[in-house]
Amino acid sequence: MNINDTDDRFFHLAGNEAIESRAIAQRLHVNKTQLADVLGIGVDSLRRSHRERAARVQTRMRAMIEIINRAQPWAGSVNQAFAWYRSQPLPSFGDQTAEELVKEGRADAVKAYLSRINEGGYA
């Protein structure tokens, strides 16, 4: 995984390359315990490299990154996009947040929602 400071995105995801939670936590200014909470996984899943590379953990991290990348341009910054991800109720989803939806395995629905908004559609 690359952190590219010249790229406007939160993180640049390259193929199926493993994502390191340490890099995400640093960029979001949270610790691994807080990141695990955001992802809805146990903290041991991020503290042990073999568990961090598990498909479930990688899928959650990848989904969060993709959603923050999509929200960042209109949110204004990575931190504001992360705040939106965690706290903005989405009326189309019964006022659940993107974080809650990702924890439920509904990341694709959030991405589709953001695509509709990006294309000028309604929530």
Side-chain angles (χ1 to χ4, degrees):
M1 175 182 56
N2 293 327
I3 300 175
N4 185 346
D5 292 333
T6 62
D7 196 333
D8 287 341
R9 291 176 288 187
F10 164 46
F11 271 91
H12 175 74
L13 296 173
N16 292 326
E17 189 175 332
I19 301 167
E20 295 178 19
S21 62
R22 176 193 50 77
I24 295 172
Q26 285 177 343
R27 184 71 196 264
L28 294 175
H29 307 288
V30 297
N31 60 42
K32 284 191 176 187
T33 301
Q34 293 165 321
L35 181 59
D37 181 54
V38 169
L39 296 170
I41 59 176
V43 71
D44 281 343
S45 296
L46 299 182
R47 290 193 176 144
R48 298 179 185 195
S49 62
H50 70 281
R51 287 188 181 179
E52 181 177 84
R53 296 195 186 312
R56 178 175 172 260
V57 175
Q58 289 290 309
T59 299
R60 290 265 178 98
M61 287 193 289
R62 186 170 295 277
M64 182 188 73
I65 290 168
E66 289 174 359
I67 291 167
I68 291 174
N69 279 343
R70 290 181 188 201
Q72 182 182 351
W74 49 262
S77 72
V78 171
N79 290 337
Q80 289 170 318
F82 185 53
W84 172 88
Y85 177 86
R86 297 207 69 198
S87 63
Q88 182 64 46
L90 304 176
S92 296
F93 299 100
D95 289 336
Q96 288 184 288
T97 65
E99 175 184 0
E100 292 168 329
L101 293 163
V102 170
K103 286 178 180 178
E104 290 178 0
R106 297 179 63 198
D108 287 340
V110 177
K111 290 185 250 181
Y113 168 84
L114 291 173
S115 292
R116 284 193 311 273
I117 298 298
N118 189 42
E119 294 170 3
Y122 293 98

